[in-house]
């Protein structure tokens, strides 16, 4: 056993993960149906057989087991360095000398191990949460905030290891008068909030700049220290990421597909850093950490996709959406690019924002907002919500009409011209409104392609417009 | 918020755990029944209603959440020390100075955090495993070894943090000629095995004496370095502890009761160390770690006991047995007293050894070995297994007759004197054989009392006969 090329080991683990999931899923399907984890696909021609639900459990458990088994490989060189202190000849030496070697313990990167363990722990808590949701149907308001408990160990590790709570302020703000004034006010409020929190908890959300700003930047950019609010932000990422993925769902292959695409986008972003020779060690570590969690994830997810792609033989369940959303939240938080992650989640964010009027019941929200399946031609059509009062409230009318002007909704009117129905406000329905009826796999493919294109544009944006806006890019520093 | 007295904080957490479990259990009961996690109590007078199964899930999840919430309290003083580097005035200082404070990171005990996280992770894996078993009925041979995968992170942390793989050899062995010869041979085989493993894996299972041997012992005791075999032993503890608890079960209140008693015994043992002024810091840390995990465990378990005690309103399920067995395995392994833990598990060990002939099908084993409930008088009677061949095989006859001589089994014979039935070989049945029929709660109480008495005797034994056998006691060193 020799020290491993990390990417090669990870690819091997992804392969193993793929083999395990594809082997396990058909084997456990029957048992899942027997315990009631099953459902009918409403977008297929009858007779529709019951197929197993919550198959994401298999994926999550496989992934977690792989990540545990990966620990010795990740820390291999440290394990060997440390252990090679004592060899066969030394066995007979005195205990005192052996005791002295204990001081070499500090060679082992315990902080990295704590980071890794907190990530796996957080994923496992999320899997448990998803499983309970699949089994017991937890109420929406209960489950919405639960991911933030799961992410607690993560935030603690972040607190003790990095404490970086500053964000870079775009130069167009610092260079304008109004911008500077606004910034000064925001800084004042944030500092005041932080002092209050410090007095109550005794903790200081300290203000350390990331080391790569110090070591390599010629011009230190203007930083805004968010302090405790940065932790609230990270907690929000861990809530938003799983939930936003969970609502872009309901089409065969879409849940798994969007996450594989997201994984590929993040890997592309990681490789910008990993295959560059001129980046700081900190950035390299961050993006290796990201690849570490994403490559095996793609492996197990491909196994699931094979069974969930149109026509689906299994459903993925909430477990999968929660679990995978958290994989990306973790990578973003511990890899220190949670803001970059957010721009890669743009399709999910747009879908969420677009859904807000229905989610918060500003307009009526039917129990399911899935597109409608037509048994005759086998195509998917947009589904419609019904306006309850005649023509809708004033607010609803304004919103519907505005959206209609931009072609972002399809409305049905009665003979008086009053709105009676509106296409449900999800990206999925919107695509069907714009492109016309599609077969389920074509619909899924369109969304995935859109996401891939958005993601690649965002990578380009991140490394071209980003530096221009912020006055620096952490990728190009070394060569400046 | 001030630094906390650890025992007071832990007691408060135990109280919170008790309140949460007693509140949650009645609330989720109906949902559990609805998803099929339910069973009938066979030891009650009909009509017997269905009651919820697997209620241990609630306990495990409550406990895990508490342990996550406990992290900031456990590491509070470090968090404050570390963070207090920067205060309000320093906020405006340069980034370079802030960067320098990063080096203070080493003040935080990352290895302790990694230890803590690996323990919680291991417990969570075990909970998932138990849950799958309750839901899907995993095959016996599959689930038997699964706890060892769950304990993998634990062993890795042990490897990088302690690496102590030596055990003390009793002085009566080293002082006798035969003993020394045997020891030399064992040492040779162990070293040879370790060399082979090192050549294959590249890892050295190094041989460091625990620091308290060095710092305080006047006479260093003879140590036997087990190397990699110590890891196998710890892995075996993590398999044995959950499984042995799982087979001493089937009477209302017994699963929970035995674990609460075990918890109390371990706490008594811990307090021998914690309230002594003359122990090493290492021993103090170990036993504080143990109390840290056991006190909240007792809190949540008491909540479950309230509903599981005769007449039971809920069943605990495999989840609870696996989860709690692992709590103790972890405490034993990371607290460095897995050998002491084994002597506290004596009733479970005896029950296991006594069960071996049935578990390995040397004698017939009916599907259930629970005592028999008599509907007439409401008492529990020993249940009997049936001998399949006339009078049993020669081996069976020898075993049954020997056990009968010592009063350790009850046999039924036909008119020819051939054995036809034998009392099922569990401690529970044996007690009924010896004491006669008992009501279910009396039976449970007898077993729990037996366990408590055994445990307290073992504490006394550990600190009196132990030192005499081994030539030292880690408790009394400081005062020698």
């Amino acid at each position: 056993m020799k020290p491993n090329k990390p990417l090669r080991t990870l690819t091997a683990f992804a392969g193993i993960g793929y083999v395990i999931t594809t082997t396990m899923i058909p084997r456990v399907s029957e048992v899942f149906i027997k315990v009631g984890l099953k459902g009918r696909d409403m977008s297929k021609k009858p007779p529709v057989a019951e197929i197993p639900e919550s198959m994401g459990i298999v994926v999550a458990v496989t992934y977690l087991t792989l990540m545990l088994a990966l620990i010795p490989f990740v820390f291999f060189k440290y394990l060997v360095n440390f252990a090679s202190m004592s060899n066969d000849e030394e066995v007979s030496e005195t205990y005192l000398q052996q005791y002295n070697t204990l001081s070499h313990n500090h060679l082992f990167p315990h902080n990295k191990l704590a980071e890794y363990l907190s990530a796996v722990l957080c994923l496992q808590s999320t899997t448990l949460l998803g499983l309970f949701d699949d089994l017991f149907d937890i109420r929406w308001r209960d489950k919405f905030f639960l991911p933030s408990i799961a992410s607690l160990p993560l935030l603690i590790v972040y607190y003790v290891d990095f404490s970086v709570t500053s964000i870079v302020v775009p130069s167009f703000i610092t260079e304008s008068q109004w911008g500077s004034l606004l910034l000064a006010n925001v800084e004042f409020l944030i500092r005041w909030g932080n002092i209050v929190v410090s007095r109550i908890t005794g903790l200081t959300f300290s203000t350390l700049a990331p080391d790569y700003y110090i070591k390599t930047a010629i011009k230190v950019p203007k930083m805004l220290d968010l302090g405790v609010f940065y932790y609230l932000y990270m907690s929000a990422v861990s809530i938003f990421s799983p939930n936003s993925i969970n609502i872009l769902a309901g089409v065969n292959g879409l849940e798994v597909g969007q996450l594989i695409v997201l994984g590929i986008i993040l890997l592309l972003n990681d490789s910008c850093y990993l295959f560059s020779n001129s980046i700081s060690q900190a950035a390299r570590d961050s993006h290796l950490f990201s690849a570490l969690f994403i490559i095996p994830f793609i492996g197990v997810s491909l196994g699931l996709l094979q069974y969930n792609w149109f026509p689906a033989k299994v459903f993925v369940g909430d477990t999968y959406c929660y679990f995978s959303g958290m994989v990306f939240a973790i990578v973003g938080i511990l890899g220190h690019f949670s803001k970059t992650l957010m721009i890669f989640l743009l399709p999910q964010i747009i879908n969420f924002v677009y859904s807000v009027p229905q989610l918060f019941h500003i307009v009526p929200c039917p129990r399911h907002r899935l597109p409608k399946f037509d048994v005759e031609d086998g195509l998917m059509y947009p589904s419609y919500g019904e306006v309850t009062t005649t023509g809708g409230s004033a607010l609803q009318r304004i919103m519907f009409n505005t959206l209609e002007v931009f072609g972002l909704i399809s409305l049905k009117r009665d003979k008086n011209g009053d709105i009676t129905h509106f296409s449900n406000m999800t990206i999925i329905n919107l695509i069907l409104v714009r492109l016309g009826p599609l077969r389920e796999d074509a619909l899924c493919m369109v969304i995935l392609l859109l996401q891939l294109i958005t993601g690649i544009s965002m990578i380009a944006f991140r490394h071209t417009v980003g530096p221009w806006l912020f006055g620096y890019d952490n990728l190009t520093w070394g060569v400046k």
Side-chain angles (χ1 to χ4, degrees), chain A:
Chain A
M1 202 152 108
K2 286 182 179 175
N4 307 279
K5 301 239 173 197
L7 295 181
R8 203 185 291 167
T9 312
L10 290 171
T11 314
F13 267 77
I16 297 169
Y18 174 78
V19 171
I20 296 179
T21 40
T22 45
T23 317
M24 288 294 288
I25 289 173
R27 284 185 185 216
V28 300
S29 290
E30 213 170 294
V31 191
F32 271 56
I33 292 179
K34 219 168 72 190
V35 299
L37 293 170
K38 60 187 175 183
R40 285 180 206 279
D41 194 335
M42 305 315 280
S43 312
K44 297 288 175 296
K45 294 191 182 184
V48 184
E50 284 188 324
I51 61 173
E53 247 290 13
S54 307
M55 211 36 90
I57 296 170
V58 176
V59 172
V61 171
T62 308
Y63 180 80
L64 289 169
T65 314
L66 284 181
M67 294 315 279
L68 291 185
L70 197 56
I71 298 179
F73 292 88
V74 174
F75 295 99
F76 185 77
K77 59 176 177 174
Y78 304 105
L79 297 178
V80 173
N81 276 352
F82 165 58
S84 64
M85 303 289 159
S86 71
N87 58 41
D88 300 341
E89 282 94 63
E90 281 175 319
V91 169
S92 54
E93 290 186 19
T94 66
Y95 292 111
L96 198 61
Q97 267 175 323
Q98 289 176 351
Y99 172 68
N100 286 337
T101 63
L102 265 178
S103 61
H104 289 288
N105 255 351
H106 73 264
L107 288 179
F108 187 83
H110 289 102
N111 56 344
K112 294 274 165 203
L113 182 61
E115 205 176 293
Y116 191 99
L117 290 176
S118 73
V120 179
L121 183 60
C122 172
L123 283 176
Q124 207 170 50
S125 311
T126 313
T127 306
L128 258 179
L129 168 64
L131 186 54
F132 288 144
D133 191 22
D134 278 336
L135 282 176
F136 306 126
D137 271 325
I138 306 173
R139 270 170 308 180
W140 190 80
R141 54 160 198 205
D142 284 342
K143 72 184 174 196
F144 188 78
F145 291 104
L146 284 174
S148 65
I149 295 178
S151 67
L152 198 65
L154 215 63
L155 297 189
I156 290 171
V157 166
Y158 192 91
Y159 181 89
V160 300
D161 263 356
F162 309 107
S163 312
V164 178
T165 57
S166 305
I167 57 168
V168 176
V169 182
S171 48
F172 71 87
I173 290 186
T174 50
E175 281 160 17
S176 83
Q177 271 194 316
W178 283 101
S180 304
L181 184 65
L182 183 71
L183 188 64
N185 278 291
V186 170
E187 266 187 319
F188 176 80
L189 287 175
I190 287 174
R191 189 192 280 195
W192 191 80
N194 270 299
I195 290 174
V196 171
V197 174
S198 294
R199 289 277 180 276
I200 296 171
T201 62
L203 303 176
T204 310
F205 297 90
S206 58
T207 55
L208 306 172
D211 63 345
Y212 38 90
Y213 293 158
I214 308 304
K215 285 189 177 154
T216 52
I218 292 159
K219 172 190 154 202
V220 173
K222 169 68 185 168
M223 311 277 288
L224 176 64
D225 182 23
L226 296 179
V228 68
F229 299 103
Y230 195 79
Y231 290 87
L232 293 181
Y233 162 73
M234 287 190 291
S235 193
V237 168
S238 74
I239 293 174
F240 182 77
S241 174
N243 281 302
S244 68
I245 285 160
N246 207 14
I247 60 169
L248 185 55
V251 173
N252 284 180
L254 183 58
E255 293 93 334
V256 196
Q258 67 176 311
L259 284 154
I260 293 178
V261 170
L262 186 59
I264 292 170
I265 294 169
L266 277 176
L267 278 186
L268 285 176
N269 184 51
D270 290 337
S271 26
C272 293
Y273 293 86
L274 291 178
F275 294 116
S276 151
N277 290 318
S278 55
I279 56 152
S280 68
Q281 187 61 38
R284 188 177 211 90
D285 281 355
S286 288
H287 290 279
L288 198 56
F289 183 87
S290 160
L292 196 68
F293 276 78
I294 291 173
I295 294 176
F297 173 78
I298 291 180
V300 291
S301 292
L302 281 175
L304 182 57
L305 186 63
Q306 186 170 320
Y307 293 94
N308 184 240
W309 189 257
F310 177 87
K313 287 174 208 70
V314 304
F315 289 131
V316 299
D318 288 346
T319 314
Y320 182 75
C321 296
Y322 278 105
F323 155 75
S324 347
M326 198 54 106
V327 170
F328 290 97
I330 285 174
V331 159
I333 291 174
L334 290 185
H336 320 299
F337 55 84
S338 54
K339 295 172 294 295
T340 307
L341 174 68
M342 284 293 118
I343 64 172
F344 294 146
L345 278 173
L346 199 65
Q348 283 77 17
I349 294 176
I350 293 176
N351 186 53
F352 175 75
V353 171
Y354 186 52
S355 297
V356 159
Q358 285 198 307
L359 292 182
F360 292 91
H361 293 280
I362 300 168
V363 305
C365 184
R367 209 175 125 62
H368 288 293
R369 305 190 296 161
L370 305 180
K372 223 180 82 208
F373 176 69
D374 189 318
V375 183
E376 296 298 311
D377 57 11
L379 299 181
M380 310 292 284
Y381 290 81
S383 65
Y384 285 82
E386 207 177 334
V387 179
T388 40
T389 55
T390 314
S393 69
L395 178 65
Q396 287 173 4
R397 270 204 303 276
I398 294 170
M399 202 172 61
F400 286 146
N401 288 322
T402 317
L403 286 173
E404 197 185 27
V405 169
F406 294 100
L408 295 175
I409 202 163
S410 154
L411 300 176
K412 286 181 183 171
R413 294 187 165 82
D414 62 11
K415 50 194 178 231
N416 303 327
D418 288 331
I419 299 165
T420 56
H421 293 82
F422 59 95
S423 59
N424 278 314
M425 296 163 81
T426 67
I427 281 199
I428 305 173
N429 274 307
L430 185 58
I431 285 170
L432 293 172
V433 166
R434 304 292 305 175
L435 300 186
L438 290 171
R439 211 175 74 161
E440 199 171 1
D441 49 351
L443 172 60
C444 180
M445 198 56 102
V446 168
I447 302 174
L448 295 186
L449 266 177
L450 269 180
Q451 199 197 351
L452 187 63
I453 295 166
T454 322
I456 292 175
S457 325
M458 284 299 143
I459 295 180
F461 174 84
R462 167 80 185 76
H463 298 297
T464 53
V465 185
W468 176 72
L469 276 181
F470 288 95
Y472 85 102
D473 183 9
N474 58 359
L475 179 59
T476 51
W477 271 349
V479 292
K480 256 186 188 167

